[in-house]
Amino acid sequence: MADADTADPQAMARRMLDGLQESNPQLAILAQLMQARTIVPEPVSEGLSDEVMRLADQLAAAEARIDAMKRQARKLVALHREADDRLADLAAALGACGLCWGEDDFCPSCRGRGRPGMVRPDFELRARLLGPARPREGSADQTTTH
Ligand SMILES: [Zn+2]
């Protein structure tokens, strides 16, 4: 056996395949397919490979930042909805417009007239949010006189 033959792995593989084709043709086909798979990806030049690795790292970092921003955005949307609901409850408890609190002349609900007390407050909600109504000091029970 020549030394050049044993030193070259591709020549060795070819010789083994030749032998296999005689003894077991089906296995030879499988071996050919496997060899083809390992040969197909052409080696990238060193400089290009470094550049590809650098870009892949940048892409992964950017994707991680995007995921973090998406999580933050979902959290902010949830918090905004919570605050919105709480404000709407408070507006109802105070008899104010839940959309604009009387600050928007073009409000579709109140046309800017929805300041607190403009409509009958939701007393149940009011008691839950602000505690039970108490009469003012030095006057008769005003909650019952109105
Ligand atoms: Zn309004």
Side-chain angles (χ1 to χ4, degrees):
M1 198 185 283
D3 279 345
D5 239 28
T6 53
D8 180 5
Q10 283 194 329
M12 262 179 73
R14 260 195 311 275
R15 274 160 28 85
M16 283 170 72
L17 256 178
D18 287 344
L20 202 58
Q21 251 157 358
E22 283 171 31
S23 61
N24 192 338
Q26 284 186 317
L27 197 61
I29 292 171
L30 186 66
Q32 267 179 325
L33 286 173
M34 287 170 72
Q35 197 188 26
R37 270 191 62 195
T38 58
I39 289 171
V40 166
E42 299 223 350
V44 200
S45 73
E46 199 59 39
L48 187 59
S49 161
D50 285 351
E51 179 70 4
V52 168
M53 292 283 281
R54 199 177 57 78
L55 288 172
D57 283 350
Q58 282 183 345
L59 183 62
E63 280 172 344
R65 280 199 302 274
I66 289 170
D67 281 346
M69 282 191 279
K70 279 182 182 172
R71 281 195 300 274
Q72 209 171 8
R74 277 194 290 269
K75 212 165 156 186
L76 285 174
V77 166
L79 286 173
H80 178 262
R81 280 200 189 121
E82 234 173 75
D84 233 20
D85 288 350
R86 204 166 291 169
L87 259 181
D89 281 354
L90 192 58
L94 297 175
C97 172
L99 295 180
C100 77
W101 288 69
E103 293 181 348
D104 179 6
D105 290 341
F106 301 100
C107 175
S109 175
C110 75
R111 294 175 183 258
R113 284 180 237 130
R115 295 200 162 275
M118 288 305 287
V119 293
R120 188 178 184 276
D122 182 329
F123 290 110
E124 200 180 302
L125 206 51
R126 187 177 180 147
R128 186 153 59 83
L129 293 175
L130 307 172
R134 285 171 300 191
R136 285 190 193 156
E137 264 180 56
S139 67
D141 188 2
Q142 291 197 330
T143 55
T144 54
T145 54
H146 282 282

